[in-house]
Amino acid sequence: MDQRFTDDNPRGLYFLADLVNAVQDGSGATPGGLEAVVEAHGGPPLGLTETTAREMREAAAVIAAILDLDDEDGAAEAINALLDQYPARPRLERVPGHRRWSLRATAPHDAQPARWLLSTATLALALWLSERGYCAWGRCSAPGCGRYFIDTGRRTPQRYCSTRCGTRVRVAAHRDRSR
């Protein structure tokens, strides 16, 4: 199991980053690819068609636009606009395999998958922004990467999506200084 699911970090936000990254890199562009990301994070079976998969990709682009923001006022405005358009119906649920309760958004039974995604995303982003007080997310600064990440650190803002990217940048800088 992914280590991120065993700690106290925001699982719903990892889902959003993974979904946006999968759409961005192409692995989540198909109905099956999108369903695999949702399933990996404990989401509901969606039964995506080509049409609903396209709508999910469009919803992922909306989420990516928020993850690109680093101004908390602008992020709050964008999230509030989405909350108005896609109100979340939060419910406490137990995450399978965990003892703690989790606050999750539910959509009406007849809601389309993209509507469910945007309701889930806005609730998760709103909770994270209100808890942290700043945009604790971003895009990797490593040249050639650009993957989205959720910043769970408490000190300096995160700049890279992984230790691999951070190390790659530091090694390249060290080599440049040694020349």
Side-chain angles (χ1 to χ4, degrees), residues 36-117:
V37 175
V38 172
E39 182 181 315
H41 288 276
L46 300 177
L48 295 176
T49 64
E50 287 299 328
T51 300
T52 55
R54 178 184 43 77
E55 292 167 353
M56 288 281 285
R57 289 189 298 273
E58 291 168 0
V62 170
I63 296 164
I66 293 174
L67 295 177
D68 280 330
L69 296 173
D70 60 4
D71 165 52
E72 58 265 7
D73 293 333
E77 269 184 49
I79 292 167
N80 281 336
L82 284 176
L83 282 169
D84 288 342
Q85 193 172 359
Y86 303 99
R89 294 178 40 212
R91 297 193 48 81
L92 287 169
E93 296 180 3
R94 283 204 194 269
V95 177
H98 296 275
R99 293 177 30 171
R100 293 177 50 165
W101 287 91
S102 180
L103 188 62
R104 291 188 168 191
T106 59
H109 296 298
D110 59 347
Q112 291 296 313
R115 185 172 193 80
W116 164 81
L117 173 61

Side-chain angles (χ1 to χ4, degrees), residues 94-172:
R94 283 204 194 269
V95 177
H98 296 275
R99 293 177 30 171
R100 293 177 50 165
W101 287 91
S102 180
L103 188 62
R104 291 188 168 191
T106 59
H109 296 298
D110 59 347
Q112 291 296 313
R115 185 172 193 80
W116 164 81
L117 173 61
L118 289 167
S119 292
T120 299
T122 55
L123 178 63
L125 290 166
L127 288 169
W128 193 237
L129 180 59
S130 68
E131 180 180 313
R132 295 318 270 300
Y134 62 94
C135 299
W137 55 68
R139 220 166 180 185
C140 187
S141 296
C145 183
R147 293 180 58 79
Y148 292 94
F149 61 83
I150 303 304
D151 185 351
T152 58
R154 294 283 176 195
R155 297 186 185 180
T156 57
Q158 185 172 330
R159 294 179 44 210
Y160 306 107
C161 67
S162 65
T163 54
R164 182 178 183 192
C165 277
T167 300
R168 186 168 43 89
V169 169
R170 284 189 294 281
V171 167

Side-chain angles (χ1 to χ4, degrees), residues 1-7 11 14-15 18 40-41 98:
M1 176 178 256
D2 192 325
Q3 179 62 34
R4 297 176 305 176
F5 301 124
T6 62
D7 55 24
R11 288 174 289 281
Y14 286 134
F15 160 63
D18 287 351
H41 288 276
H98 296 275

